Amino acid sequence: MRDYDASVAFLGEWGRFQVMVFFMLCSTILPNGSSSFSLVFVTDTPRHHCLVPEVNLSQDWREAVIPMEEVHGELERSQCRRYRLDVVRNLSDMGLVPGRDVNLSSLEQEDCVDGWSYSSERYQSTVVSEFDLVCSASWKQPFTSTVFFLGVLVGSFFSGVLSDRFGRKPVLFATMAVQAVFNLAQIASPSWEVLCVLFFCSGLGSISNYVSCYVLGTEIFTGNTRMVYASMGVCIGFALGYMMLPLVAYFLRSWKDLTVAITVPAVLYIPFWWVLPESPMWLLSQGRVGEAETIVRRAAKMNRVEAPEKIFADYMINASQLYAKSVQRYTFLDLLRRRSIAATTIILCFVWFTLSVCYYGLSLNTSRLHSDPYISCFLSAVVEVPAYSSTYLAVRFLPRRVAVILVFLVVALSLLFIQLVPQSVLEAAVALEMLGKFAATAGTSLLFAFTAELYPTGLRNTASGTCVMVSRTGSCIAPFLLQLNVYFKYLSYVTFGSLAMVSAFVTLFLPESFRRPLPETIQQMHKRPSIMCPCVTRKTSKCVTTLESRL
């Protein structure tokens, strides 16, 4: 039986149909780049200090009521303490001058019992200023982001399972709707607890639609179009959305206005439902050959080419025997049921986890590149464009394992060498860190392509969703790993670099998928060569047979 790519080869690679679907799918990723990193601004902590109510105080005492504290070697106004207001008012009424008549260090201090005063120099409002997530409640600020990523983690898994069960297209639009609806609902949150629930629900659809969109395009396109889409298309769409975020945030300094601005454009994608097709490859895996042929014939008409009388004749003959039955038993457990597939799944989950830790750790750490968060965010986004562009060349010319290993080696060496850079050459340290971010970004695109090419149609979205789900645990703990610098200045870099070095080694044990058709069954997946099973070729499967006998 011919594979899917050979069956639709008559369509060509860059016809009107492919161009239309390519740009429509890429455009649906723009909101993801904006919403995923909007937490940088939405949950940022403005400068603040204890609120001093309108009481009768002299100007000297009004300026001195907030004590000074040493922070990183510099004196700053305390953010969480003030001198007891009743004592200060009495001293002010007595005409005493702070510092001259009264030793301020001898005065008793108190918490911010009247609330806080937040600086409006950078933001009109953030989640932190609205719900007072400071001082004793400061733990709620990073926890808010963690709740969002927990939603991403859960959504990444279930969206994959649902996509393999109900189709790529319905899950793509459903997760887009979930993300938009719960994003808008956040601005009406009456409390921080309700906001966390909405953040979690928003996270359910945030990256889930990215995965569904990625798999949908990978299965529709063939040849060079598939490589461009997998390595550059959706990734650059994400990066462009990321680059637009600081621009929008610069002009909209209220977190509610920013949330609305990055969410409302989602309504523009509603008409896409009637234009974007379902994945013909997925339809074939479900035995729905007629629907798949209808989509391909429509594409042929759009591309102005003549379709053969029977496009999927072999599929029609074997559909009930091969596809319908195999899909019925394809579940998450099939990722672990057989030893060879389980080994592939475990290794992929580990390298995905490592890449997520490095990517989000370096992205969150780029705030030190510039004192202005808008510039820092833009620089962090800009570096992703050349990273994704270079991925296209790697996907086109390099074996998948070689490309992924090179990515991890660059990440590892650049981060491990940072500690060797003298303090007087700060620019070199920043350059090495950005080189690591460049490689980690490129690796994200490579792993999406690699994962999609390793698994059969019935398991492809489940496998991708599972790997992304595991990687999200890395995004959840990355901020905490950055705090390792408290114990040793470069400990977080050493941790990231060590994980990357181990990932480079274990990648050697993954099967190779370079220039091979996408597997459509688990049996075809077994026939992929790897360092553990190098003798598998297109003509022999002795190693697979040996492996099967051990299971």
Side-chain angles (χ1 to χ4, degrees):
M1 184 175 64
R2 293 193 303 168
D3 60 71
Y4 173 80
D5 288 7
S7 298
V8 299
F10 66 90
L11 287 177
E13 294 184 357
W14 282 107
R16 293 173 61 188
F17 171 78
Q18 288 91 339
V19 171
M20 177 196 72
V21 174
F22 186 97
F23 285 103
M24 289 180 71
L25 287 177
C26 291
S27 68
T28 63
I29 301 301
L30 288 173
N32 283 71
S34 299
S35 63
S36 296
F37 290 100
S38 63
L39 294 171
V40 173
F41 304 104
V42 169
T43 63
D44 200 6
T45 303
R47 298 182 59 152
H48 58 278
H49 58 78
C50 292
L51 177 66
V52 180
E54 293 297 328
V55 295
N56 186 22
L57 291 177
S58 66
Q59 185 62 31
D60 290 336
W61 278 107
R62 184 166 291 277
E63 294 178 357
V65 70
I66 305 298
M68 302 297 291
E69 295 179 348
E70 185 175 342
V71 180
H72 302 301
E74 297 183 2
L75 288 177
E76 295 182 1
R77 303 178 76 185
S78 175
Q79 297 181 338
C80 302
R81 303 285 289 176
R82 73 180 184 189
Y83 295 117
R84 283 191 54 179
L85 193 59
D86 55 344
V87 174
V88 170
R89 185 163 47 190
N90 291 335
L91 295 174
S92 177
D93 292 341
M94 294 169 60
L96 300 178
V97 179
R100 187 189 69 182
D101 302 325
V102 179
N103 184 2
L104 294 178
S105 61
S106 64
L107 296 181
E108 184 180 354
Q109 297 182 11
E110 63 182 357
D111 295 330
C112 300
V113 294
D114 295 309
W116 291 264
S117 175
Y118 296 93
S119 170
S120 58
E121 177 183 3
R122 181 169 294 163
Y123 306 109
Q124 292 179 10
S125 68
T126 68
V127 168
V128 173
S129 64
E130 178 151 343
F131 298 107
D132 290 331
L133 309 183
V134 293
C135 298
S136 61
S138 60
W139 62 272
K140 296 181 179 180
Q141 189 266 345
F143 185 75
T144 305
S145 301
T146 299
V147 167
F148 173 80
F149 284 116
L150 287 175
V152 171
L153 187 153
V154 175
S156 298
F157 172 71
F158 284 105
S159 67
V161 175
L162 293 174
S163 184
D164 283 335
R165 174 65 180 85
F166 298 104
R168 313 327 191 190
K169 179 179 172 181
V171 174
L172 169 63
F173 283 89
T175 51
M176 289 174 62
V178 168
Q179 181 183 14
V181 169
F182 286 102
N183 270 354
L184 286 177
Q186 291 169 12
I187 64 176
S189 302
S191 65
W192 174 76
E193 290 77 12
V194 173
L195 180 68
C196 283
V197 173
L198 296 175
F199 263 114
F200 179 84
C201 296
S202 175
L204 291 174
S206 180
I207 301 298
S208 301
N209 64 310
Y210 183 100
V211 176
S212 297
C213 180
Y214 185 91
V215 174
L216 177 60
T218 301
E219 294 182 346
I220 290 178
F221 303 128
T222 60
N224 186 58
T225 311
R226 178 184 291 154
M227 285 194 296
V228 174
Y229 179 81
S231 60
M232 294 177 59
V234 288
C235 300
I236 290 184
F238 183 89
L240 291 176
Y242 188 5
M243 292 169 61
M244 293 167 56
L245 171 64
L247 178 64
V248 177
Y250 180 81
F251 291 102
L252 300 176
R253 302 297 182 99
S254 167
W255 76 274
K256 291 184 178 181
D257 293 340
L258 176 60
T259 300
V260 171
I262 63 178
T263 303
V264 168
V267 300
L268 299 176
Y269 301 118
I270 295 177
F272 286 18
W273 173 263
W274 291 276
V275 182
L276 282 174
E278 178 58 274
S279 163
M281 185 178 288
W282 178 82
L283 290 172
L284 290 172
S285 73
Q286 301 292 310
R288 295 158 62 176
V289 182
E291 295 177 55
E293 284 208 355
T294 300
I295 293 173
V296 175
R297 291 189 185 282
R298 190 179 305 140
K301 183 177 180 180
M302 186 175 295
N303 287 355
R304 298 176 181 176
V305 296
E306 185 175 350
E309 183 178 352
K310 293 292 184 180
I311 302 175
F312 301 115
D314 293 337
Y315 285 88
M316 295 182 70
I317 296 174
N318 296 277
S320 59
Q321 300 176 5
L322 177 61
Y323 291 100
K325 292 183 179 179
S326 63
V327 168
Q328 289 177 0
R329 18 175 236 273
Y330 281 2
T331 66
F332 167 73
L333 294 178
D334 285 292
L335 295 175
L336 303 172
R337 196 181 304 276
R338 300 184 181 184
R339 186 181 302 174
S340 59
I341 298 179
T344 298
T345 301
I346 292 171
I347 293 174
L348 279 174
C349 286
F350 178 76
V351 297
W352 270 94
F353 170 82
T354 298
L355 196 67
S356 183
V357 167
C358 295
Y359 175 78
Y360 282 97
L362 294 176
S363 297
L364 296 174
N365 200 45
T366 51
S367 59
R368 73 182 184 88
L369 294 177
H370 199 281
S371 59
D372 190 326
Y374 304 102
I375 295 179
S376 298
C377 183
F378 183 75
L379 290 175
S380 182
V382 166
V383 75
E384 297 197 359
V385 176
Y388 292 134
S389 300
S390 65
T391 302
Y392 167 71
L393 299 177
V395 169
R396 186 169 184 179
F397 299 109
L398 290 178
R400 300 294 181 257
R401 285 182 302 195
V402 173
V404 173
I405 289 171
L406 287 176
V407 161
F408 281 118
L409 288 178
V410 172
V411 172
L413 295 177
S414 61
L415 297 184
L416 292 175
F417 284 164
I418 286 180
Q419 58 186 314
L420 304 179
V421 177
Q423 292 288 338
S424 58
V425 194
L426 181 61
E427 294 79 6
V430 173
L432 284 174
E433 185 170 344
M434 294 309 296
L435 177 62
K437 170 70 187 300
F438 174 92
T441 302
T444 302
S445 177
L446 282 171
L447 279 185
F448 265 109
F450 198 11
T451 303
E453 291 173 352
L454 288 178
Y455 289 91
T457 305
L459 271 176
R460 188 167 296 123
N461 222 68
T462 299
S464 298
T466 300
C467 290
V468 172
M469 179 192 70
V470 173
S471 76
R472 293 310 153 200
T473 62
S475 62
C476 291
I477 71 170
F480 299 99
L481 292 179
L482 289 176
Q483 300 303 315
L484 294 176
N485 290 340
V486 174
Y487 306 101
F488 173 60
K489 184 176 182 180
Y490 300 104
L491 187 54
S492 60
Y493 292 122
V494 172
T495 303
F496 296 156
S498 300
L499 284 171
M501 191 65 74
V502 174
S503 294
F505 173 73
V506 299
T507 301
L508 287 169
F509 296 92
L510 288 173
E512 184 55 74
S513 62
F514 185 51
R515 292 180 178 173
R516 292 178 173 84
L518 294 179
E520 299 176 41
T521 66
I522 285 183
Q523 290 70 26
Q524 291 177 1
M525 181 181 176
H526 275 303
K527 296 180 181 181
R528 291 293 177 86
S530 70
I531 195 172
M532 295 181 294
C533 194
C535 59
V536 176
T537 65
R538 296 181 181 179
K539 296 182 180 180
T540 178
S541 59
K542 294 181 180 178
C543 208
V544 171
T545 305
T546 303
L547 180 62
E548 288 283 0
S549 65
R550 298 176 182 174
L551 299 181

